[in-house]
Structure formats: C-alpha cells, structure tokens
Amino acid sequence: QVHLAESGGGVVQAGESLRLTCAATSRRPFSSYAVAWFRQAPGKDREFVAGVAWSGISTTYYSPSAKGRFTIARDDAKNTSYLQMTNLNPDDTAVYYCAAAHWGSGTRTREEEYGDWGQGTQVTVSS
C-alpha cells in the first residue's frame, strides 16, 4: 500500500500553466509503482489524464485532451510524481487525483487498475 498526497492546485487563467505534485509514502520502493493522474469535473465521471509505468519500463501515456499539453514525470529519489500542465483552458477545471498500482505496466487508463489514491487537489481555470 502507498499513501499519496497531491498538491499544487489553484486558480489560474486560461492559457496559463500549473504543476501538480504527488508525494508518495510507502514501504515499497516508489519506483515499483505505476503512477497516474485522473480528474473529475463537477457532474462528470472521473477520467484518466496521464500515466507512467513503473520505473523498469517508464512508458508514459496520455488522454487525447492531455496529449501535447500535459507532461507526467516521476522522481523516484524524491518519491514524487509531477503533472506539468500548460495552455490550460476552462475545460481542465476539475479535482485532480494521483493514483498508483504496484508493478503496473502497460497502458492503464481505468480506475479499477489502481489500488491507491490520493485525496485530490482542485484546479480551476477561468476564462
């Protein structure tokens, strides 16, 4: 099991950038976890945004709406994952969640593929 804590959310204007951070605490090496970011907008289901496989593979993958604007990264020495978001627009307004899956490989875009979740951080983009 891994404890995840997101930070970095806030209110920005359209076109601006924001970097979210996911800090992990676990007895297992953070490098052995696949990490993903999901988001949930008001009145909508939670949706996949970006993911990275465990460090032995490190494949990254993105939703169509995130590709080209968002970048997921991991720093295993700091037990941390980042989601760099650029050119934000009001449709990106949501609570953003970090999730982890032990020895996660392949392209994992479904919620049920992740067993550990953070509490979320709010991102609001004004027009």
Side-chain angles (χ1 to χ4, degrees):
Q1 186 176 5
V2 56
H3 179 262
L4 303 171
E6 303 92 337
S7 62
V11 180
V12 297
Q13 292 188 336
E16 294 185 340
S17 300
L18 206 59
R19 187 178 79 160
L20 305 182
T21 299
C22 174
T25 304
S26 175
R27 293 183 179 179
R28 296 168 171 165
F30 183 61
S31 60
S32 65
Y33 286 91
V35 181
W37 288 88
F38 287 74
R39 68 185 182 185
Q40 186 167 23
K44 295 186 177 180
D45 293 334
R46 190 154 54 182
E47 64 175 2
F48 169 81
V49 176
V52 56
W54 73 280
S55 291
I57 302 174
S58 290
T59 305
T60 59
Y61 40 97
Y62 299 89
S63 69
S65 64
K67 195 170 185 179
R69 298 189 301 129
F70 295 3
T71 303
I72 187 171
R74 63 186 305 153
D75 185 339
D76 294 333
K78 296 182 178 180
N79 291 346
T80 301
S81 174
Y82 304 98
L83 183 68
Q84 178 68 49
M85 305 184 293
T86 64
N87 194 23
L88 287 161
N89 61 68
D91 290 337
D92 296 316
T93 295
V95 177
Y96 284 70
Y97 298 90
C98 178
H102 196 225
W103 299 125
S105 60
T107 304
R108 295 179 169 230
T109 62
R110 297 179 298 163
E111 291 184 61
E112 56 266 32
E113 295 177 302
Y114 295 88
D116 297 287
W117 293 81
Q119 293 300 307
T121 184
Q122 176 70 48
V123 172
T124 302
V125 184
S126 61
S127 58

